[in-house]
Amino acid sequence: MSANFSHNPYKLAGPARVEINDVAPRDGLQIEPVVVPTHGKVAFVNALSHCGFARIEATSFTSAKAIPALADAEAVMHQIERVPGVRYTVLVPNLRGLERALSCHPDEVNLVMSTSETHNRANLRMTREQSRAQLLAMIAEAGRAGVPVNVSLSTVFGCPFEGEVSVEDVMGFAQTFADAGAAGITLCDTTGMAYPNQVAALCEDFQKRLPDTGLTIHLHNTRGMGLANAMAAWQTGVTRFDAAAGGLGGCPYAPGASGNVSTEELVHMFASMGVETGVDLGALLDVVASLPALVERDISSQLLRAGPRLRTHQPPAWMAEHFQGQ
Ligand code: COA
Ligand code: ZN
């Protein structure tokens, strides 16, 4: 399928290669009304593993009371196939979660806290200060175990409880965790409040202040700006993107949350522009086609319906006769 995209004649205004982390097994399945059985989760992660992703966020080690749908995190991690070249990461909110995660040997752990006080309390039942302290202890603990750490900062582009979030707060948390040894930071638009020039400004600011810290951008398409925001980030040099197959996803503790930017649309956009993602779009679309059976509902993947941009169709049958000889 990538052959369709190989003759792009236009110039690029951003990096020629990007990495995609599919977070659907975590961000997607945490909010689905059905609890997907363990074997279904394992099959989903395994199918994604053969699409060419740099990373897959396979599950989260949260409390079963908070996120009942992912209570089988250990079983998932023990049963998935570890395909060489794919980094398997897991979301972790506290020290208890880190202990559980480390017992499953992830390639990386993705710690999480919110940059807005109210969303942190609603989602993690801790103050930001309590989360900050736990995350610092977790970075040290993961370091002792030799496991690289990424920190996902939620609500950096806006909070559904508080509205605007202070850029200084965002950059302050990013700096703190980078100084403590986090190899990467993810800026998360938890409820799709980001808009393109805001994304560009924050990404530029981040890369200027923390040039040695891997920056990932995590976008939700809640208000239809997901791909526009991804473009804005890419134009500032961002090379790492979270996305969810089928556009699944959302935080159960953020009012109005809905799907992540859809991986297939992001991959298709980059492929159209001639940006290498490493992802096989055909294989990914097969996985997306299997999602309604997995989550027991229709999913509205526009790209699955329309097909890639160079999928052509037979013209109407009457035309051959009507234009005969012309
Ligand atoms: N994994 C499993 N169990 C955990 C746990 C974890 N990471 N953290 C706490 N628990 C257990 C405790 O052992 C305790 O069990 P007990 O009642 O049998 O003694 C119970 O949960 C309460 O522990 P406490 O430390 O008081 O946690 P809490 O109830 O205040 O919840 C979090 C704190 C962070 C664990 C919880 O809010 C959470 O998991 N949030 C994640 C939300 C999320 O993933 N949102 C979407 C992604 S951003
Ligand atoms: Zn998310």
Side-chain angles (χ1 to χ4, degrees):
M1 180 156 302
S2 52
N4 281 350
F5 296 103
S6 62
H7 298 297
N8 185 310
Y10 305 109
K11 73 175 176 45
L12 289 180
R17 177 178 287 274
V18 297
E19 285 184 2
I20 299 191
N21 174 25
D22 199 295
V23 298
R26 191 280 299 172
D27 205 330
L29 300 188
Q30 74 185 7
I31 198 175
E32 286 298 325
V34 298
V35 176
V36 173
T38 306
H39 65 85
K41 291 171 176 148
V42 170
F44 181 28
V45 173
N46 288 350
L48 289 172
S49 289
H50 293 284
C51 292
F53 289 107
R55 278 186 181 66
I56 296 176
E57 192 158 293
T59 186
S60 70
F61 289 88
T62 46
S63 104
K65 238 182 261 161
I67 308 285
L70 302 182
D72 56 356
E74 281 90 346
V76 169
M77 286 303 286
H78 285 131
Q79 290 174 37
I80 55 173
E81 185 186 344
R82 299 289 188 97
V83 172
V86 183
R87 297 182 66 75
Y88 295 88
T89 183
V90 295
L91 190 84
V92 183
N94 63 1
L95 276 159
R96 168 92 185 89
L98 182 68
E99 233 173 78
R100 293 176 57 210
L102 292 179
S103 77
C104 300
H105 308 290
D107 296 309
E108 181 178 301
V109 287
N110 183 23
L111 316 186
V112 63
M113 72 167 283
S114 183
T115 49
S116 108
E117 184 65 39
T118 313
H119 182 256
N120 202 67
R121 291 181 183 204
N123 190 38
L124 300 174
R125 298 165 59 89
M126 288 182 264
T127 65
R128 285 184 302 180
E129 192 40 46
Q130 288 168 329
S131 275
R132 194 182 71 90
Q134 288 244 352
L135 263 56
L136 289 174
M138 291 156 79
I139 292 170
E141 184 65 36
R144 283 189 286 275
V147 176
V149 171
N150 185 81
V151 175
S152 277
L153 297 175
S154 305
T155 66
V156 304
F157 300 100
C159 165
F161 302 108
E162 296 181 12
E164 300 291 3
V165 167
S166 142
V167 172
E168 283 315 308
D169 280 4
V170 172
M171 291 309 305
F173 284 117
Q175 184 82 54
T176 299
F177 297 129
D179 289 348
I185 301 280
T186 303
L187 299 179
C188 301
D189 183 23
T190 308
T191 59
M193 292 172 70
Y195 51 93
N197 53 352
Q198 177 197 30
V199 171
L202 202 56
C203 290
E204 268 169 9
D205 197 6
F206 184 103
Q207 291 168 98
K208 225 176 271 161
R209 295 205 218 184
L210 296 168
D212 300 325
T213 303
L215 169 61
T216 302
I217 195 97
H218 175 108
L219 299 164
H220 281 256
N221 198 36
T222 320
R223 294 176 174 81
M225 289 191 277
L227 285 185
N229 289 332
M231 262 305 282
W234 174 76
Q235 284 173 332
T236 72
V238 171
T239 56
R240 285 159 54 161
F241 295 83
D242 284 0
L248 301 182
C251 173
Y253 299 101
S258 68
N260 283 83
V261 69
S262 103
T263 312
E264 62 276 21
E265 290 177 6
L266 190 68
V267 167
H268 180 262
M269 179 182 82
F270 281 134
S272 300
M273 297 196 302
V275 177
E276 186 55 58
T277 62
V279 177
D280 177 338
L281 184 59
L284 173 59
L285 287 175
D286 288 345
V287 178
V288 174
S290 74
L291 288 176
L294 186 76
V295 299
E296 298 177 25
R297 67 175 177 88
D298 272 348
I299 59 152
S300 55
S301 174
Q302 275 178 273
L303 188 67
L304 189 62
R305 241 190 343 259
R309 64 180 287 273
L310 289 181
R311 181 167 90 183
T312 53
H313 303 267
Q314 288 297 324
W318 59 262
M319 279 174 51
E321 198 181 326
H322 186 81
F323 291 102
Q324 209 170 23
Q326 294 179 47

